[in-house]
């Protein structure tokens, strides 16, 4: 059983999960639905955690001020949910709190906001340096770290960003690394698609870091994770356990203590809370086959709408 998660003042640990605005369309960048899945996993792992999922940066400042960790899942650059709240994140970390950024939320605009992200998160998607191809990343070995507790090696097809700009300060620990295949370099050079720096790295077969733990010199704990484009991948236990462990680690909770083992989530369960209506040609069985996730029974397009 998990030990009671407590803050420094003796209160139960609080984790605030902030979803950005609707983004790409059905099944992709499902910020709110993805965070609701992670909230469920956090409660399964440690029922003593206090969790809350909100849409957009909360107007009530006390929500961030009282949080032991803040999880951000949103679009990036000037659509980043915390673009105008970087000072609050710095205050959070300086008091010993945690920060987690998922997928596009690892990217700010070049310049001051990007530099802030490197300082706070330890890494940043930098345009004309980093890239965002879709590829199958294989994680055959994982480092010894509380975040990797009980996480089995896995491989996932996602929009794994890589060749990020990482901090040279603080303590940065690569958590997920994979050698990107040549196919990730088939696009022309562009802000997100390719550049001489990343082409040289891929040609050399260098392992690419796509998830990392970071401990800033001024305090706190952060975790960056560049996967999370496809909502359906949250079904996979190793991936979801890793992110759940990381959130708990940033909050000061012990992920090596788990009340319940995480179970696979069916395709039907992932229909809930999505921002958009399913498209006319939506086929759950095809989705389940493509992303190798279980189907518990027959679910029609109308059923998908009801689960929103």
């Amino acid at each position: 059983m998990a030990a009671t998660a407590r803050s420094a003042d003796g209160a139960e640990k609080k984790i605030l999960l902030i979803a950005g605005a609707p983004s790409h369309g059905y099944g992709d960048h499902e910020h709110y639905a993805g965070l609701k899945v992670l909230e469920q996993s956090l409660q399964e792992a440690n029922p003593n955690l206090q969790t809350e999922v909100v849409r957009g940066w909360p107007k009530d400042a006390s929500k961030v001020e009282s949080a032991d960790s803040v999880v951000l899942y949103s679009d990036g650059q000037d659509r980043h949910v915390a673009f105008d709240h970087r000072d609050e994140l710095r205050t959070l970390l300086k008091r010993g709190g945690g920060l987690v950024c998922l997928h596009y939320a690892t990217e700010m605009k070049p310049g001051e906001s990007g530099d802030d992200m490197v300082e706070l998160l330890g890494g940043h998607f930098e345009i004309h340096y980093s890239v965002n191809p879709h590829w199958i990343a294989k994680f055959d070995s994982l480092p010894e770290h509380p975040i990797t507790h009980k996480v089995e090696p896995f491989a996932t097809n996602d929009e794994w960003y890589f060749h990020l700009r990482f901090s040279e300060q603080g303590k940065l620990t690569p958590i997920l690394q994979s050698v990107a295949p040549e196919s990730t370099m088939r696009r022309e050079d562009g802000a997100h698609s390719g550049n001489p720096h990343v082409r040289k790295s891929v040609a050399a077969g260098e392992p690419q870091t796509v998830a990392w733990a970071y401990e800033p010199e001024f305090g706190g704990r952060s975790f960056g994770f560049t996967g999370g484009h496809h909502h359906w991948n949250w079904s996979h236990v190793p991936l979801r356990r890793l992110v759940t462990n990381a959130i708990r680690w940033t909050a000061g909770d012990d992920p090596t203590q788990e009340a319940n083992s995480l179970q696979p989530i069916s395709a039907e369960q992932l229909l809930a809370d999505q921002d958009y209506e399913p498209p006319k040609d939506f086929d759950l069985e095809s989705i389940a086959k493509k992303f190798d996730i279980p189907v518990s029974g027959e679910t029609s397009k109308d059923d998908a709408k009801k689960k929103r």
Side-chain angles (χ1 to χ4, degrees), residues 238-258:
L239 183 149
R240 187 158 37 90
R241 174 175 279 124
L242 182 118
V243 176
T244 300
N245 285 351
I247 295 171
R248 295 178 64 194
W249 177 78
T250 63
D253 190 25
D254 183 3
T256 67
Q257 301 296 314
E258 192 175 67

Side-chain angles (χ1 to χ4, degrees), residues 17 29-39 73 102 231 234 240 270 272-274:
L17 304 99
H29 285 226
E30 288 290 353
H31 305 134
Y32 182 79
L35 290 180
K36 291 297 289 185
V37 170
L38 290 172
E39 180 184 40
Y73 196 9
L102 306 176
H231 181 61
W234 293 119
R240 187 158 37 90
L270 290 171
D273 300 312
Q274 295 200 39

